[in-house]
């Protein structure tokens, strides 16, 4: 997947030292979309039970490089007009071996009355898939050495009521 950078910056000021490539749905990638979204749908059915229809956005591969490659705290609601307005679930897949970089932790901000620390740091194992609603604040901590790659896409559905 070619990555874009340079004169065409990522259209989100919370990214730092990052490049993005997009994988669009076609005959060669349909199997990946089907597998990834089926796992996310199963997760949704077991936990959130949100009304999801499918995905209407490409899968993005994001590469964060040292020094300081990452993304600040953000949510993924209504960030790009109509096609993102009905995001129901974020799907993130770790593509890099954790030994190939330092830093770059994916963290969620999940306050809970029974937890002392509201920031949850997720495992960095290659192939790890994380599925969570787009209204949960999250970030990628700065990469301090090496490069971290992950794939991101979303499940969409009717507006929340």
């Amino acid at each position: 997947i070619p990555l874009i950078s340079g004169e065409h910056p990522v259209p989100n000021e919370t990214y730092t030292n990052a490049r993005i490539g997009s994988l669009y749905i076609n005959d060669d990638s349909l199997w990946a979309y089907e597998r990834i979204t089926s796992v996310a749908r199963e997760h949704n059915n077991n936990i959130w039970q949100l009304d999801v229809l499918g995905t209407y956005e490409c899968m993005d591969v994001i590469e964060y490089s040292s020094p300081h490659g990452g993304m600040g705290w953000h949510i993924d609601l209504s960030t790009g007009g109509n096609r993102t307005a009905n995001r129901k679930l974020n799907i993130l897949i770790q593509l890099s071996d954790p030994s190939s970089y330092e830093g770059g932790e994916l963290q969620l901000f999940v306050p809970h009355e029974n937890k002392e620390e509201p920031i949850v740091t997720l495992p960095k194992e290659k192939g790890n898939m994380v599925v969570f609603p787009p209204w949960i604040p999250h970030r990628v901590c700065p990469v301090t050495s090496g490069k971290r790659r992950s794939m991101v896409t979303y499940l969409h559905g009717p507006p929340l009521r």
Side-chain angles (χ1 to χ4, degrees):
I1 298 172
L3 297 173
I4 56 172
S5 63
E7 295 181 20
H8 304 286
V10 177
N12 186 324
E13 64 279 355
T14 63
Y15 284 100
T16 55
N17 208 7
R19 300 187 313 157
I20 294 183
S22 297
L23 179 63
Y24 295 94
I25 299 175
N26 59 38
D27 291 340
D28 294 328
S29 65
L30 184 60
W31 69 271
Y33 275 89
E34 289 175 346
R35 178 71 179 127
I36 290 166
T37 59
S38 71
V39 170
R41 284 175 187 271
E42 183 178 327
H43 197 70
N44 176 56
N45 291 341
N46 292 331
I47 297 174
W48 294 289
Q49 301 176 358
L50 296 169
D51 190 7
V52 295
L53 301 173
T55 185
Y56 303 112
E57 295 179 67
C58 62
M59 285 191 271
D60 288 329
V61 173
I62 306 172
E63 179 183 85
Y64 301 100
S65 299
S66 65
H68 313 299
M71 188 171 193
W73 287 109
H74 67 285
I75 60 172
D76 290 322
L77 288 174
S78 302
T79 57
N82 291 337
R83 71 181 186 143
T84 63
N86 294 326
R87 286 177 176 170
K88 294 291 186 79
L89 291 172
N90 289 359
I91 305 166
L92 290 85
I93 302 172
Q94 174 66 21
L95 300 178
S96 298
D97 186 307
S99 66
S100 68
Y101 68 97
E102 292 180 12
E105 294 83 3
L106 173 61
Q107 295 183 323
L108 306 181
F109 184 78
V110 188
H112 191 278
E113 62 189 54
N114 297 328
K115 289 181 77 173
E116 208 170 291
E117 177 59 51
I119 297 174
V120 177
T121 300
L122 299 170
K124 293 169 60 169
E125 285 79 18
K126 185 175 183 176
N128 188 47
M129 177 190 249
V130 180
V131 179
F132 61 93
W135 55 82
I136 293 178
H138 55 285
R139 71 177 174 183
V140 174
C141 295
V143 173
T144 57
S145 71
K147 294 182 180 181
R148 174 196 189 272
R149 280 191 176 183
S150 59
M151 185 178 297
V152 179
T153 195
Y154 311 90
L155 280 180
H156 298 79
L160 293 171
R161 300 179 250 201

